[in-house]
Amino acid sequence: MALQLYTYFRSSAAFRTRIALNYKGLDYEPISVHLRRKEHRAHAYRQLNPQALVPALGDDGFVIPQSLAIIEYLEEVKPEPALLPRSPQERAIVRAMTQLIASEMHPLCNLRILIYLKDELGQDEAGVNAWYRHWIAEGFGSLETMVERNSADGEHCFGGSITFADVCLVPQMLNARRFDCDLEPYPTLRQVDAALSSHEAFAAAQPSRQPDAE
Ligand SMILES: N[C@@H](CCC(=O)N[C@@H](CS)C(=O)NCC(=O)O)C(=O)O
């Protein structure tokens, strides 16, 4: 497979896809789309991804936007090593955790939301930070309980192996740290995050290790 990943080092949604690609041992060409320079809004990128967001995955002429669609696609085209458990019930729980992060938490804390709060709604830095920290606490509060119930070893969100939920957790934890969110109330999430961060698939996907890192 000749894969291209439209990515930005600091993008947590792109970070998810980098982890999944690494975990499955898939080579890809990273193509940097600089968000602060608004390269994602340029006509050429919109032609590829009308939503003007990163990531997007190119595969043989197809361009797939949305990080969850990308990781589901990778799971289908390269099922092993698996990022989903075997039973439908277990898969559903993993997808529920994944969506808690990617569909509930992340969209409220995304760059364009923070810029809108500041530029259009006149919020100062303290206001924007309060918004960010509120939604992180809402999401991680629930996720802490779910992971506590479902992790078999305290090193994975679900069971005893890496799943989509782990792929989404690590980037969201990094984001939360960047915004100085209080992570003390989430000991299980901190423990899982620490265990996963030393795994090479996660370490190599870190923003600081990307070719476009600043
Ligand atoms: N639901 C999308 C979210 C993608 C997204 O929001 N990407 C961010 C970077 S993490 C982005 O491109 N932001 C540009 C902007 O907000 O203008 C996904 O999972 O791929």
Side-chain angles (χ1 to χ4, degrees), residues 11-13 16 35 40-41 52-55 66-68 106 110-112:
S11 159
S12 52
R16 296 173 194 149
L35 296 187
H40 57 307
R41 306 254 165 112
L53 298 171
V54 292
Q66 288 288 345
S67 63
L68 298 191
H106 180 267
N110 194 9
L111 182 63
R112 61 188 170 151

Side-chain angles (χ1 to χ4, degrees), residues 133-147:
R133 290 170 191 153
H134 173 77
W135 294 113
I136 292 291
E138 278 275 315
F140 277 168
S142 314
L143 189 64
E144 171 73 15
T145 307
M146 288 182 81
V147 173

